[in-house]
């Protein structure tokens, strides 16, 4: 089916005149007439009454389908053009929470300066998108935590930080200068949705320290730092994070307390295994270079 003929049919119906439709479409009147006749031959039915010019019942049915087909064709053109544009010069960078502390904005600034030819776009990620956004091609590279153990991705470690717990300010634990794992394992932790990847839930709940057992669960769910802090401020439960978290999320009604004997964890940059796209490789080079340069001076301990 020729979409141009469908467009012609709609133009004639909307204008109510073959000549005006021809002017609108930049066609000759004879071409417009031939388009309509060819459609009528294709469908074996009269689609337009000529005097006055109006759609027949069959023509009305076809006009509805024609509008849908033309809209779908336009959406397809736009989608393909968008994909082609991304392939040429796009880089979608996923950022979970505050990413890799000060390294995240430093990397973004340096990459934009060094590679203005790439269109850089940031995509916020929640806890359920630990690697799924990357594997589903919704982002091209991402700042996440902790480091995934997944052969489908490549991992660049950017920071290694002490762990903290985030608790309501009115809890007794909030006044402690530091705590041990034994002090936090029985806390009611804010829940994560069932679809959250296991590596992230194990990280949040200190699962290894409790021998694989599930923690006490608070009543509220959370998929991002804002929701964790809102629930904690309301006294609804505890969360955990890397130590840089408290520099990026000062939140009334909450306290961040270091867990001195918890294993330190990484924040990382992840990309798809074997991805050799120039933008991805360039971004990894910039990020790892800045990590080496700023690592020793990065504020991983709050002042």
């Amino acid at each position: 089916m020729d979409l141009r003929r469908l467009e012609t049919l709609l133009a004639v119906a909307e204008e109510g005149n073959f000549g005006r439709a021809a002017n609108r479409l930049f066609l000759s009147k004879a071409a417009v007439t031939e388009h309509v006749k060819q459609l009528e031959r294709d469908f074996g039915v009269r689609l337009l009454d000529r005097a006055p010019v109006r759609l027949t019942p069959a023509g009305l049915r076809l006009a509805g389908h024609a509008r849908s087909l033309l809209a779908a064709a336009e959406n397809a053109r736009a989608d393909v053009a968008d994909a082609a544009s991304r392939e040429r010069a796009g880089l979608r960078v996923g950022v979970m929470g505050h990413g890799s502390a000060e390294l995240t904005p430093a990397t973004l600034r340096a990459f934009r300066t060094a590679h203005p030819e790439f269109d850089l776009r940031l995509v916020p990620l929640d806890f359920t998108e630990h690697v799924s956004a990357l594997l589903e091609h919704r982002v091209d590279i991402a700042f996440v935590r902790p480091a995934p153990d997944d052969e489908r991705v490549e991992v660049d470690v950017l920071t290694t930080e002490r762990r903290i717990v985030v608790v309501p300010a009115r809890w007794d634990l909030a006044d402690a200068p530091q705590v041990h794992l034994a002090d936090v394992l029985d806390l009611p932790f804010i829940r994560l949705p069932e679809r959250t990847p296991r590596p992230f839930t194990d990280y949040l709940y200190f699962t290894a320290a409790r021998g694989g057992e599930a923690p006490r669960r608070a009543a509220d769910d959370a998929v991002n730092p804002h929701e964790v802090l809102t629930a904690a401020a309301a006294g609804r439960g505890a969360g955990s994070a890397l130590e840089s978290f408290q520099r990026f999320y000062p939140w009334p009604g909450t306290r961040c307390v270091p867990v001195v004997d918890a294993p330190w964890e990484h924040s990382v940059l992840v990309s798809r295994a074997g991805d050799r796209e120039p933008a991805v490789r360039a971004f990894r080079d910039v990020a790892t270079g800045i990590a080496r340069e700023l690592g020793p001076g990065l504020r991983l301990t709050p002042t």
Side-chain angles (χ1 to χ4, degrees):
M1 187 182 303
D2 192 325
L3 295 179
R4 293 173 300 173
R5 292 171 185 162
L6 294 176
E7 188 176 20
T8 298
L9 177 69
L10 292 177
V12 173
E14 291 165 3
E15 296 292 341
N17 182 278
F18 279 75
R20 288 196 297 270
N23 291 335
R24 171 173 153 181
L25 298 172
F26 300 100
L27 295 173
S28 68
K29 186 176 178 180
V32 169
T33 300
E34 181 56 32
H35 280 187
V36 174
K37 287 182 177 180
Q38 185 59 55
L39 278 175
E40 290 179 327
R41 287 194 292 269
D42 290 344
F43 285 93
V45 64
R46 191 171 185 81
L47 300 172
L48 279 169
D49 290 328
R50 269 54 173 185
V53 175
R54 62 186 178 189
L55 291 167
T56 66
L60 284 169
R61 294 281 186 93
L62 180 58
H65 292 295
R67 291 187 179 94
S68 297
L69 288 169
L70 290 168
E74 181 57 34
N75 288 338
R77 280 193 289 268
D79 192 47
V80 171
D82 179 66
S85 175
R86 292 188 193 283
E87 288 176 2
R88 287 194 302 272
L91 184 70
R92 297 162 298 171
V93 180
V95 183
M96 177 188 283
H98 66 290
S100 292
E102 287 82 1
L103 287 175
T104 300
T107 299
L108 296 172
R109 287 194 301 268
F111 183 82
R112 282 192 170 112
T113 299
H115 298 282
E117 71 274 19
F118 295 122
D119 180 21
L120 190 65
R121 184 162 67 90
L122 301 184
V123 181
L125 302 180
D126 65 37
F127 301 152
T128 71
E129 298 173 298
H130 185 231
V131 293
S132 62
L134 182 69
L135 296 176
E136 293 168 8
H137 290 256
R138 289 183 282 118
V139 298
D140 303 304
I141 199 163
F143 293 93
V144 303
R145 62 188 183 281
D149 182 14
D150 190 320
E151 63 183 9
R152 297 171 295 177
V153 304
E154 294 187 29
V155 175
D156 295 303
V157 174
L158 299 182
T159 71
T160 304
E161 305 180 44
R162 187 164 59 170
R163 297 297 304 281
I164 61 170
V165 287
V166 184
V167 297
R170 66 172 182 260
W171 285 8
D172 291 342
L173 199 66
D175 296 325
Q178 61 187 33
V179 294
H180 292 80
L181 277 168
D183 303 317
V184 304
L185 295 184
D186 289 332
L187 296 178
F189 279 88
I190 295 163
R191 297 184 307 182
L192 298 174
E194 291 298 324
R195 66 183 185 278
T196 307
R198 182 66 182 269
F200 191 85
T201 59
D202 288 349
Y203 153 83
L204 183 77
Y205 297 146
F206 300 103
T207 299
R210 56 167 50 86
E213 294 183 3
R216 290 175 58 199
R217 303 290 179 89
D220 294 344
D221 291 333
V223 297
N224 57 48
H226 182 278
E227 292 179 354
V228 169
L229 289 161
T230 299
R236 305 281 289 176
S240 75
L242 300 180
E243 193 163 30
S244 57
F245 180 94
Q246 61 191 309
R247 300 200 299 276
F248 289 81
Y249 299 102
W251 202 271
T254 68
R255 296 288 186 274
C256 295
V257 185
V259 185
V260 293
D261 58 342
W264 287 38
E265 286 281 3
H266 306 305
S267 73
V268 300
L269 187 67
V270 292
S271 55
R272 287 181 288 275
D275 193 336
R276 295 295 178 261
E277 285 295 321
V280 171
R281 296 175 67 181
F283 195 89
R284 291 179 63 187
D285 289 343
V286 170
T288 53
I290 290 177
R292 287 192 297 270
E293 179 183 346
L294 297 185
L298 191 64
R299 291 179 53 211
L300 297 183
T301 303
T303 56

